[in-house]
């Protein structure tokens, strides 16, 4: 009886980073067509890992503190050892996953692609911190023998939107983002101005965001009565489906904007000083990235012009 090769891929998140890694997921599966491939990710992305078709199994990692929950670390160590993986692709390349590598017994360590000191397939490019994550991870996989890494893809991500999509033309507006990073958000008043502009041109502005962003979405809806508020009502699959039908998507540097860009929606991504689009910007054939420091100084007219340019490239 032949022994099935076992492979582990580590990718925790956040959502935008997870989306940008999908090309790597596809390349790893293609390189190991007969292997049993396991994804180690956070609970938030377990469902995505199970749906995409590249993984045979999904493990979740709550990323506990070693001081607060040392038993969780012991259980994870045992699980990694018992997994008997031939190779581990560390696409998170964090200090945490570096500890995962070091806590494996030296004599039983699998091949490891990443940046951990002593790993078998290291990515040692000194410019690594300064290049886009897609190029960085593609080069990392190249060092491990995987030469053909496709662009990020979400062709498999879809859902029914019959009860969500408005009739006629509509555009997605994504005004949310990390609650602890308010500097990454364009002012809600500017989003309201954009929504009123879209309504005046016959395009319904559709607001999407998490339930935690309800106050922002409610205020934009108050300032722009023509806006349709879908806050807290959309799954990731529905966001992808809405983006495929939308005339454009405009939003801050946040996960849903990465989804919109990746599925081919004409997308305008707004960046300030808090993050660098040359390293983490969304990927797609019809993406316009606008960066202004501070982001609050970005005029609505510039965003409208960028949306028109993106639409021409779709």
């Amino acid at each position: 009886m032949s022994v099935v090769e076992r492979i582990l891929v580590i990718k925790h998140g956040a959502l935008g980073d997870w989306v940008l890694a999908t090309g790597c997921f596809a390349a790893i599966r293609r390189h190991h067509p007969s292997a049993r491939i396991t994804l180690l990710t956070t609970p938030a992305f377990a469902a995505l890992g199970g749906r995409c078709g590249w993984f045979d199994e999904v493990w979740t990692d709550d990323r506990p503190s070693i001081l607060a929950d040392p038993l969780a670390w012991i259980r994870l160590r045992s699980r990694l050892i018992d997994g008997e993986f031939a190779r581990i692709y560390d696409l998170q390349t964090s200090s945490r996953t570096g500890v995962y590598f070091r806590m494996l017994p030296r004599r039983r360590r699998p091949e490891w692609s990443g940046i951990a000191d002593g790993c078998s397939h290291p990515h040692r490019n000194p410019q690594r911190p300064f290049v886009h994550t897609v190029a960085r991870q593609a080069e990392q996989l190249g060092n491990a023998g995987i030469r053909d890494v496709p662009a990020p893809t979400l062709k498999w991500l879809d859902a029914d939107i019959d009860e969500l999509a408005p009739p006629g033309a509509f555009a997605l507006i994504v005004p949310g983002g990390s609650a602890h990073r308010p500097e990454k958000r364009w002012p809600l008043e500017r989003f309201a101005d954009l929504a009123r502009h879209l309504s005046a041109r016959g395009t319904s502005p559709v607001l999407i965001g998490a339930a935690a962003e309800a106050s922002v979405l409610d205020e934009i809806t108050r300032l722009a009565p023509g806006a349709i508020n879908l806050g807290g009502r959309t799954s990731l699959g529905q966001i992808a489906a809405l983006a495929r039908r939308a005339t454009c998507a405009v939003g801050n540097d946040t996960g849903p904007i990465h989804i919109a860009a990746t599925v081919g929606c004409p997308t305008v991504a707004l960046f300030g000083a808090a993050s660098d689009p040359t390293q983490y910007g969304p990927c797609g054939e019809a993406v316009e990235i606008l960066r202004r420091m501070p982001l609050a100084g970005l005029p609505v007219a510039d965003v409208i012009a960028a949306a028109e340019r993106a639409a021409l490239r779709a």
Side-chain angles (χ1 to χ4, degrees), residues 130 181 183-184 186 251-253 268-282 288-299 302-303 306 309:
F130 309 108
R181 303 288 296 278
E183 69 277 13
K184 294 180 70 174
W186 199 39
N252 300 318
D253 173 26
V268 181
L270 311 178
F271 283 78
S275 55
D276 187 349
T278 64
Q279 297 176 13
Y280 305 108
E288 286 280 330
I289 292 176
L290 296 181
R291 193 181 195 197
R292 180 68 60 90
M293 295 177 280
L295 182 55
L298 179 64
D302 289 4
V303 176
R309 292 194 299 270

Side-chain angles (χ1 to χ4, degrees), residues 48 51 156-161 234-244 259:
L48 286 179
R51 288 183 62 183
W156 47 272
L157 185 60
D158 203 2
D160 180 70
I161 56 171
T234 53
S235 67
L236 296 181
Q238 288 171 324
I239 290 173
L242 286 166
R244 290 188 178 97
I259 292 176

Side-chain angles (χ1 to χ4, degrees), residues 188-208:
L188 65 85
E189 294 82 6
R190 300 288 177 87
F191 277 113
D193 288 342
L194 175 63
R196 288 193 294 269
H197 170 83
L198 290 168
S199 293
R201 297 187 59 178
T203 298
S204 298
V206 174
L207 307 178
I208 59 173

